């Protein structure tokens, strides 16, 4: 049986500001932004990821203090290019850190407006063999 992690609840203080940050600056896909008289819930997914972030104003989404989620990790094939893309969109990023010359040993990081922190790891093998092949990247597996 597969057990796939597909959603992480992200604690934020301002839903609209967080949508702008993750969609417009970080480049996540906006899967849905559902608003009615009872709730406001948003889901965004990084390109090529099987896991999304969700934030909103329902009680389970407000259980953590905004900015308290630390060390979420994204993986890219080229950390230098990814960092340049983010800084070009106005995201403040740390410098590249090389902990090991081996594939997987290069990182940089950034924080969202609330202080939730992200690490970005370079795994060059993802360029040739992404975890989710391009032909399977439609919304929720649909083409």
């Amino acid at each position: 049986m597969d057990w796939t992690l597909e959603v992480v609840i992200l604690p934020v203080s301002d839903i609209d500001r967080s949508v702008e940050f993750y969609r417009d600056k970080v480049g996540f896909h906006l899967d849905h932004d559902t608003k009615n008289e009872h709730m406001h819930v948003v889901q965004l997914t990084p390109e090529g990821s099987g896991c999304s972030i969700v934030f909103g104003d329902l009680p389970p989404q407000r259980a953590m203090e905004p900015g308290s989620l630390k060390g979420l990790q994204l993986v890219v094939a080229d950390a230098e290019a990814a960092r340049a893309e983010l800084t070009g969109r106005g995201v403040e990023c740390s410098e590249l850190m090389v902990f090991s010359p081996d594939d997987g040993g290069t990182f940089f990081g950034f924080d969202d407006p609330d202080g939730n922190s992200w690490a970005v790891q370079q795994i060059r093998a993802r360029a040739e063999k992404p975890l989710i092949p391009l032909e399977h990247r439609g919304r929720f597996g649909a083409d």
Side-chain angles (χ1 to χ4, degrees):
M1 172 171 306
D2 288 347
W3 294 59
T4 60
L5 178 64
E6 298 195 15
V7 172
V8 172
I9 303 297
L10 193 67
V12 302
S13 62
D14 184 316
I15 296 169
D16 293 329
R17 177 184 70 179
S18 296
V19 168
E20 289 177 18
F21 179 78
Y22 283 104
R23 181 192 59 205
D24 302 337
K25 290 189 173 188
V26 183
F28 287 11
H29 294 282
L30 179 62
D31 299 323
H32 69 80
D33 186 344
T34 304
K35 213 184 285 191
N36 62 38
E37 66 274 10
H38 305 292
M39 61 162 207
H40 186 185
V41 176
V42 176
Q43 178 174 319
L44 298 108
T45 304
E47 178 69 32
S49 180
C51 188
S52 302
I53 59 170
V54 170
F55 46 83
D57 58 9
L58 292 172
Q61 297 155 349
R62 293 291 185 197
M64 291 183 283
E65 186 70 27
S68 64
L69 202 52
K70 305 295 182 186
L72 290 165
Q73 189 162 316
L74 297 165
V75 174
V76 297
D78 183 335
E80 187 173 343
R83 185 183 178 283
E85 185 177 313
L86 291 178
T87 58
R89 291 186 191 145
V91 177
E92 290 186 34
C93 299
S94 71
E95 295 298 321
L96 289 177
M97 298 167 278
V98 179
F99 297 104
S100 165
D102 302 317
D103 198 14
T106 300
F107 290 81
F108 72 92
F110 67 92
D111 291 347
D112 75 7
D114 284 300
N116 295 301
S117 70
W118 293 81
V120 182
Q121 179 184 27
Q122 175 178 288
I123 298 180
R124 291 183 298 273
R126 293 293 190 265
E128 299 298 319
K129 190 174 181 185
L131 289 179
I132 300 176
L134 295 175
E135 63 270 17
H136 296 290
R137 290 196 185 180
R139 181 167 154 67
F140 304 111
D143 290 328

